Amino acid sequence: MLRPFDYFHPNDMAETLTLLDQEDETSVLAGGTDLLVKMRRGSIRPPVVVDIKGLEECQGIRWEGDRLSLGSLTTFNDLLRSQEAHKHFPLLIDAARVMGCYEVRERATLGGNVVNASPGAESGSPLAVLEAQVVLKGRRGERQMSIGHFWQGVGKTDLAPGELLVRIVIPRLPEGSRSTYLRRSRVQGMDLASVNVAVVVINPRLPESREIRVALGAVAPTPIRAREVETLLRGQEITSSLLSQMRDKIQEGLAPRTTSLRATPGYKKEMVGVLTEMALEVLLKG
Amino acid sequence: MGQPVKRIDARSKVTGRARYVADVKIQGMLYGKMLFSPHAHAHIKGIDTSKAEGLPGVWAVITAQHIPGENQIGVVTPDQPLLAQETVRFVGDCVALVAAESASVAEKALGLIRVDYQTLPGVYTAQEALGENSPLVHQGGNLLTHLKIRKGDLKKGIGECDILLEETFHTQRQEHVYIETIGALAIPEGDGSMTILGSIQCPFYVQKGVAHVLGLPMNKVRIVQATTGGGFGGKEDVPSEICGFASLLAWKTHRPVQMILTREEDLRRSSKRHPMSVTYKMGATKGGKILCAQIEVLADVGAYATLSPVVMFRSTVHATGPYEIPHVKVDTYGAYTNNIPSGAMRGFGTPEVTFAHESMVDELAAKLNMDPIQIRLINGLRLGSQTATGQVLRESVGLEETIVKAKEACDWESKRAEDKRIGPSRRRGLGASAMFYGVSLGAKGWPLDGSAAAVQVHQDGSVSVAIGGTEMGQGAQTVVAQMAAECMGLSLDRIAILATDTSLVPDSGPTVASRTTVFSGNATLNALEQIKRSMTELASELLAVAPEKLDFRDGQVLGGGKKISFDQLVQHCYSRNINLGAEGWFVSPPCSFDEETGQGDAYYVYGYGTQIAEVEVDLDTGQVQVLRVTAAHDVGKAINPQGVSCQIEGGVVQGVGYALLENFMMVKGQIQTPDLATYTIPTSLDVPQVEPIIVEAISEKGPYGAKGLGEQPIIPTAAAVANAIHDATGIRITKLPIGPEALRRALLEERKEL
């Protein structure tokens, strides 16, 4: 049951930031696919809701030099319609395709998905592996930080009171790079990922200069990079013994939630290795 | 008739015009809410409702002490108070009700009610419940029911076997997930009576239950079924509780009260499929003839009996599967626990045992090096066979035909012979499963097994049919309309089927047990035949043709080279004051069941089916994808083949969910899957290709030869999937649902052993 709240729909940034600054407990409404569920459940009861859908600055997908800028209001269907995303970051497409259902994808935004900071969020491991940056705006100015630093825990971010996530920027990958996103879920449609991996391979055809990046979702409080696995795989020929090492190494230090009904921690830890191996098989083929 | 027709309710549902109870708002209506117990087992020391009563907008707060009639709603066993009085026995027990001007005020009021509980130790599994010194859920002891079958000489049977296998299987709690949650609107009438509109499967149960609770005679309680969005058994008895709640609040406030459950409330209150542990000992000769079966079934009944004694009856009668086995011993136990009540769900105790016996039959086949189809054909029931209850089958046994047709349609032989490996870590497999299912209520429900219809032919020749069976999405209205149209020689659009209303039709028993086509169908035909007799008599006079030569066809009554249009004949009837209204009645053929030996004609006729599932298993993840299910079902005459196909498809999908992922989990009596984000069902992307095959072994007692179908298609699916996984991987999984983790674990263990 929704509690009464004040609703604002500002059309410019200054007004928005003023509103966000004035009120203590303000929730930002973008697509609302997480926010409204929480409000209905009563897990948050914001007295003020600021709808940012009117903010042009938070919209659009465009290149800024060699970085692709995605407005925080970019919906998952926007991503699926974006030629740039298809061409340069196919793993984002893989992730967007399995996110929710069509109706949810039409509303849910990339910014909301990032700020919601769910460890298994569909955009989480892809943005981590792409080394995305977030651009935050407040009345006192703008700052930028890596997405890995932005996420601080389950549902926790570095967003300061009064601040708004305005866009996400992703550095261009070297020519010829490949990427994919794989997940496990209980059902194929309309389910959150039980566990997911995002893998980028730079220079796939040149083993000696090849760089493999791996990020994992739903196995730690935030999406995380598997740095040691990346080091292990860098410049190496992929053999079955290396993959077997990888599957062991990737589990180190992981501590998935034990309360998840989707999968037990043991299974999740095994699956990140299995999925990474599957991803490499696809990305290194041909 | 016998041709695929579009459902008569399709347009109203697809366009959103169908009126569900939540769509109905009437002047002065209040909103009802219920307060759940947070504890699985506790003593209620006191309830303070004063603050809630003082909240502006609150019209009434009701607790057990206010109930004017008897605080009892148990449908089979009187063990369930409508509102918990001294004890709460599961977390869906309700201790108080609120009526308020809005749902949010009612909700707020719930938060102001103070209940003082003293928690009690509980029991949470059937095994635990039957242990010595276990806490008692009810004073009479935790064993609710024990049913038996004793046939032949088990010892002798075991002695004659060349092979004897034993295994224990476990099945889980399953939720119905009908698309519309349960809801009710209770309207207090000026004359002191109560009218209730609701999402209801069994209006006559509700009428009896509400009258009992309100202390009213049954002629003061009228139940009208609103358009109902699915039931699957979940709306068999639980709506009596929700309608009881709404009508108590309406009685107290003298205002209409609407109660629409949220999905979370519905999941918490409504009954589920029984979790069961079943142990099978099954033996056969080298030639594959099954000689004996010793079966023990232990079911978690939950906090109240609801329909469990009847569910257990089905588990007992169907425990051996559709096979003729000379020596049988079955013991079925149902035990109370402090879990959510287990009750009616599509298949009613049969999918659970079918998972077990079909796994066993496949294991026997594997050990005997025999084709799984072959062993089923050797042992399958046919005309003249004797079932485990000693019933000799004298009509309508289509099992063999379903086995052969399913086998041919899925290309069984070549697919079973194919290489299972379709990639380094992917395997394919094919598995079969057969079932039988007693139509209607059988020996245990015989006193409820009559049904009525009230029919009238209007002045313009259009026909209204009021039936006691309900439409809940299964297509019953269309089938009855088709039969009525066929009987009167009219087109389908001349027939209207009325919403089920206890004031229009005599008590017709429940709409359950795949009985509506047969029972409402036969009752309708019975009424129409009476009307036809009157019409024929007059037509004979008008046309000067002997009555036996007259036929109702194409909107005409014709014979002996003469004819009159149906509509004209109707007008003549009206001008002569001939009654064109009639009430029809149909009663189940006799059934019997001896409590000591379990022998008797348990059901008057059975439906049969065979499903073959094709699966792909990912060895790395343990994930199973069901690619295709070929499902052949003997339904007697298929009145609407399209409806039959849809029922088969839906049953298979629900069966795939049961096989692979659905699991309503409870830990220490607390629900772990309180919503549809945690309780998952197959999505459209998980649905296999389903190939329905209709087999028609005509039943003499059915209308036009029909039998029931609603439940059958879910029954064999889980076993077919499990057998296909076995074919793909060599792994036998004995516990449902077959999640990826369990399968992967089994695969890893197998690898270790190799």
Side-chain angles (χ1 to χ4, degrees):
Chain A
M1 197 71 48
L2 281 178
R3 309 260 163 161
F5 55 87
D6 289 332
Y7 172 84
F8 294 93
H9 191 288
N11 285 319
D12 71 65
M13 186 58 80
E15 191 190 346
T16 306
L17 295 177
T18 308
L19 276 166
L20 292 179
D21 206 31
Q22 272 169 3
E23 309 288 344
D24 274 351
E25 293 169 67
T26 306
S27 282
V28 171
L29 171 66
T33 54
D34 282 312
L35 183 71
L36 285 169
V37 173
K38 289 182 193 166
M39 286 171 68
R40 184 173 163 267
R41 204 194 287 144
S43 60
I44 58 165
R45 288 161 184 178
V48 178
V49 171
V50 179
D51 187 339
I52 62 163
K53 280 195 282 291
L55 298 183
E56 212 155 303
E57 199 179 325
C58 296
Q59 283 160 356
I61 299 175
R62 65 187 75 85
W63 286 101
E64 290 172 355
D66 60 356
R67 305 195 309 173
L68 188 68
S69 161
L70 302 139
S72 57
L73 286 172
T74 303
T75 67
F76 283 83
N77 273 348
D78 289 339
L79 264 182
L80 290 174
R81 288 186 282 255
S82 159
Q83 291 306 312
E84 301 305 321
H86 275 273
K87 192 167 160 208
H88 297 276
F89 307 112
L91 81 174
L92 279 177
I93 299 299
D94 296 340
R97 234 180 230 140
V98 293
M99 198 272 187
C101 59
Y102 186 89
E103 293 85 340
V104 167
R105 291 195 286 273
E106 190 62 24
R107 288 204 78 84
T109 65
L110 198 58
N113 205 228
V114 167
V115 171
N116 193 48
S118 163
E122 231 71 63
S123 71
S125 58
L127 292 175
V129 86
L130 291 172
E131 300 184 337
Q133 301 260 315
V134 290
V135 180
L136 312 171
K137 245 183 184 172
R139 284 186 83 184
R140 278 159 295 278
E142 186 179 295
R143 63 188 178 119
Q144 222 177 87
M145 67 194 304
S146 84
I147 204 156
H149 287 115
F150 180 68
W151 289 316
Q152 299 193 329
V154 180
K156 284 195 200 118
T157 66
D158 194 47
L159 198 69
E163 255 184 338
L164 183 70
L165 169 65
V166 290
R167 52 188 201 282
I168 295 136
V169 289
I170 306 174
R172 189 194 288 272
L173 290 171
E175 200 67 33
S177 299
R178 292 175 178 178
S179 68
T180 191
Y181 168 85
L182 294 175
R183 70 168 194 170
R184 296 280 313 110
S185 55
R186 296 164 303 175
V187 288
Q188 292 184 54
M190 276 304 279
D191 196 15
L192 300 174
S194 312
V195 56
N196 65 55
V197 305
V199 181
V200 169
V201 180
I202 295 165
N203 291 328
R205 297 199 182 164
L206 303 166
E208 56 286 1
S209 61
R210 186 163 63 206
E211 186 190 337
I212 294 174
R213 289 195 220 153
V214 180
L216 317 174
V219 288
T222 66
I224 52 163
R225 285 283 289 276
R227 301 269 182 197
E228 290 190 25
V229 164
E230 294 179 5
T231 310
L232 177 75
L233 299 178
R234 180 173 301 129
Q236 297 294 312
E237 197 171 329
I238 305 295
T239 61
S240 62
S241 83
L242 185 68
L243 287 173
S244 154
Q245 275 183 62
M246 178 278 288
R247 284 197 305 267
D248 288 338
K249 179 138 276 199
I250 205 165
Q251 299 193 22
E252 286 171 15
L254 297 185
R257 281 196 308 149
T258 53
T259 51
S260 170
L261 287 181
R262 291 192 187 91
T264 60
Y267 183 71
K268 285 182 170 195
K269 286 166 75 172
E270 286 172 12
M271 282 309 106
V272 286
V274 167
L275 291 177
T276 303
E277 189 174 330
M278 284 180 182
L280 290 174
E281 196 179 304
V282 175
L283 298 178
L284 297 176
K285 205 186 283 171
Chain B
M1 243 280 308
Q3 298 301 313
V5 302
K6 219 185 278 173
R7 291 173 55 140
I8 59 175
D9 52 348
R11 182 172 290 272
S12 75
K13 283 176 175 163
V14 170
T15 55
R17 288 190 193 122
R19 197 169 58 183
Y20 296 83
V21 60
D23 297 326
V24 182
K25 306 285 173 207
I26 57 176
Q27 185 74 31
M29 190 179 92
L30 301 173
Y31 296 82
K33 280 266 167 203
M34 52 209 183
L35 182 65
F36 288 110
S37 163
H39 306 294
H41 200 194
H43 179 64
I44 302 170
K45 290 164 68 185
I47 306 177
D48 179 2
T49 59
S50 54
K51 271 196 183 156
E53 282 164 50
L55 187 72
V58 170
W59 277 62
V61 182
I62 286 183
T63 60
Q65 56 162 341
H66 299 112
I67 293 177
E70 199 196 340
N71 184 15
Q72 183 50 246
I73 202 77
V75 62
V76 176
T77 309
D79 65 351
Q80 187 174 8
L82 179 60
L83 282 173
Q85 194 142 13
E86 287 163 356
T87 312
V88 288
R89 296 186 177 87
F90 82 109
V91 293
D93 251 331
C94 293
V95 296
L97 305 169
V98 172
E101 279 166 12
S102 70
S104 57
V105 170
E107 179 124 341
K108 202 167 174 189
L110 292 182
L112 297 174
I113 299 171
R114 293 282 158 264
V115 186
D116 192 6
Y117 292 103
Q118 185 189 352
T119 58
L120 299 168
V123 284
Y124 305 109
T125 65
Q127 286 83 351
E128 226 177 291
L130 296 182
E132 262 178 65
N133 302 323
S134 288
L136 292 182
V137 182
H138 294 275
Q139 284 318 309
N142 289 338
L143 180 65
L144 169 69
T145 182
H146 174 202
L147 289 159
K148 296 178 269 192
I149 291 179
R150 304 286 182 263
K151 185 196 179 198
D153 180 346
L154 188 72
K155 260 196 192 148
K156 181 166 172 269
I158 289 175
E160 287 169 0
C161 288
D162 295 315
I163 176 175
L164 187 67
L165 300 180
E166 183 172 352
E167 187 63 74
T168 299
F169 299 85
H170 302 277
T171 64
Q172 79 282 31
R173 206 175 270 109
Q174 188 183 21
E175 157 64 24
H176 312 81
V177 203
Y178 27 68
I179 197 164
E180 180 210 17
T181 59
I182 298 176
L185 170 59
I187 307 163
E189 306 288 0
D191 63 355
S193 68
M194 188 69 71
T195 301
I196 296 167
L197 184 71
S199 178
I200 295 168
Q201 212 176 313
C202 303
F204 301 97
Y205 280 180
V206 177
Q207 184 186 26
K208 193 174 167 193
V210 167
H212 193 68
V213 167
L214 291 183
L216 288 176
M218 283 171 72
N219 65 2
K220 293 282 188 194
V221 178
R222 176 185 169 202
I223 312 297
V224 184
Q225 189 210 9
T227 304
T228 296
F232 309 109
K235 292 176 185 168
E236 173 164 4
D237 54 327
V238 182
S240 302
E241 302 163 19
I242 307 310
C243 294
F245 291 154
S247 57
L248 274 176
L249 291 167
W251 161 80
K252 180 86 174 169
T253 58
H254 301 286
R255 287 180 63 167
V257 175
Q258 191 178 62
M259 232 171 154
I260 308 292
L261 301 198
T262 64
R263 180 62 68 178
E264 291 75 11
E265 289 169 335
D266 192 297
L267 288 169
R268 186 163 173 175
R269 178 74 191 187
S270 68
S271 57
K272 311 281 178 265
R273 183 186 301 293
H274 290 72
M276 288 190 192
S277 304
V278 284
T279 301
Y280 274 71
K281 207 184 259 182
M282 225 183 220
T285 64
K286 273 182 206 148
K289 174 70 194 140
I290 302 172
L291 293 182
C292 63
Q294 183 179 357
I295 300 161
E296 197 175 293
V297 178
L298 179 54
D300 177 350
V301 158
Y304 298 104
T306 72
L307 290 142
S308 289
V310 203
V311 175
M312 307 281 85
F313 175 65
R314 275 217 187 261
S315 304
T316 308
V317 171
H318 297 92
T320 56
Y323 306 109
E324 185 164 30
I325 304 176
H327 308 289
V328 178
K329 179 171 184 272
V330 182
D331 288 278
T332 303
Y333 302 92
Y336 284 123
T337 65
N338 293 107
N339 291 323
I340 195 161
S342 307
M345 185 173 178
R346 194 180 200 176
F348 214 71
T350 312
E352 298 90 323
V353 293
T354 301
F355 170 59
H357 64 65
E358 287 308 277
S359 298
M360 289 302 286
V361 167
D362 253 38
E363 283 296 299
L364 282 175
K367 295 278 180 334
L368 292 169
N369 226 344
M370 183 175 261
D371 184 87
I373 293 290
Q374 189 57 27
I375 194 167
R376 287 176 171 84
L377 286 172
I378 290 173
N379 296 284
L381 295 171
R382 43 179 62 89
L383 276 179
S385 291
Q386 206 184 51
T387 68
T389 69
Q391 178 173 3
V392 178
L393 299 171
R394 297 207 165 80
E395 67 150 354
S396 186
V397 187
L399 177 67
E400 190 174 333
E401 196 180 337
T402 66
I403 298 174
V404 170
K405 287 210 163 140
K407 173 194 159 192
E408 283 167 2
C410 77
D411 210 2
W412 172 268
E413 265 145 32
S414 62
K415 276 210 172 127
R416 283 280 291 199
E418 268 172 23
D419 193 352
K420 310 287 174 208
R421 288 168 299 184
I422 56 157
S425 63
R426 296 183 89 78
R427 302 281 183 276
R428 279 200 182 175
L430 207 60
S433 166
M435 54 72 62
F436 78 136
Y437 191 74
V439 174
S440 202
L441 305 175
K444 272 274 176 182
W446 198 86
L448 289 172
D449 223 358
S451 277
V455 178
Q456 51 174 317
V457 178
H458 299 281
Q459 287 197 33
D460 61 357
S462 65
V463 181
S464 296
V465 182
I467 50 173
T470 54
E471 171 67 63
M472 55 187 133
Q474 83 277 42
Q477 288 193 344
T478 305
V479 167
V480 172
Q482 279 181 281
M483 292 190 277
E486 174 81 10
C487 177
M488 300 307 273
L490 295 172
S491 57
L492 194 59
D493 60 354
R494 304 296 301 279
I495 315 290
I497 309 292
L498 307 180
T500 306
D501 180 335
T502 57
S503 69
L504 292 179
V505 209
D507 191 333
S508 299
T511 303
V512 299
S514 309
R515 71 192 279 270
T516 308
T517 299
V518 173
F519 281 70
S520 289
N522 270 337
T524 301
L525 294 180
N526 178 245
L528 289 169
E529 290 300 338
Q530 296 170 44
I531 296 171
K532 264 172 92 169
R533 263 199 299 279
S534 307
M535 290 179 72
T536 304
E537 208 172 292
L538 181 61
S540 160
E541 185 191 319
L542 293 173
L543 300 175
V545 175
E548 58 275 11
K549 287 190 177 159
L550 290 172
D551 204 10
F552 286 62
R553 217 166 54 218
D554 304 328
Q556 293 172 326
V557 179
L558 63 177
K562 298 186 182 164
K563 61 183 180 187
I564 180 170
S565 83
F566 183 87
D567 294 358
Q568 271 177 333
L569 180 58
V570 166
Q571 280 169 25
H572 283 290
C573 288
Y574 269 88
S575 67
R576 297 194 191 193
N577 282 326
I578 292 171
N579 176 20
L580 293 188
E583 201 172 277
W585 184 245
F586 177 71
V587 180
S588 167
C591 299
S592 59
F593 186 78
D594 183 288
E595 293 287 338
E596 282 312 307
T597 62
Q599 298 298 289
D601 292 352
Y603 293 89
Y604 85 89
V605 76
Y606 297 83
Y608 302 85
T610 301
Q611 291 185 5
I612 296 174
E614 193 178 349
V615 304
E616 193 171 307
V617 181
D618 185 314
L619 302 180
D620 290 330
T621 64
Q623 183 67 23
V624 175
Q625 201 188 344
V626 183
L627 303 172
R628 198 166 111 127
V629 175
T630 307
H633 287 269
D634 161 26
V635 301
K637 176 71 187 169
I639 307 293
N640 181 7
Q642 186 181 317
V644 171
S645 297
C646 290
Q647 279 282 20
I648 291 175
E649 287 169 14
V652 166
V653 172
Q654 216 166 14
V656 166
Y658 186 52
L660 297 181
L661 64 120
E662 293 185 43
N663 191 4
F664 193 86
M665 281 188 267
M666 302 196 79
V667 173
K668 296 270 170 212
Q670 295 292 332
I671 295 165
Q672 308 299 303
T673 47
D675 49 38
L676 294 186
T678 45
Y679 185 87
T680 40
I681 59 172
T683 70
S684 55
L685 297 176
D686 301 287
V687 170
Q689 188 190 332
V690 182
E691 188 179 337
I693 298 169
I694 300 172
V695 169
E696 297 180 312
I698 296 304
S699 162
E700 273 170 36
K701 285 144 196 136
Y704 299 102
K707 299 193 280 191
L709 162 75
E711 295 164 276
Q712 283 88 319
I714 194 180
I715 292 170
T717 313
V721 169
N723 287 340
I725 291 170
H726 182 263
D727 181 47
T729 63
I731 303 274
R732 169 64 56 195
I733 301 285
T734 56
K735 189 173 179 205
L736 294 180
I738 308 173
E741 298 201 24
L743 186 53
R744 180 175 153 86
R745 212 176 306 125
L747 286 161
L748 289 176
E749 271 163 29
E750 175 101 344
R751 240 177 261 174
K752 254 183 238 155
E753 279 167 24
L754 287 179

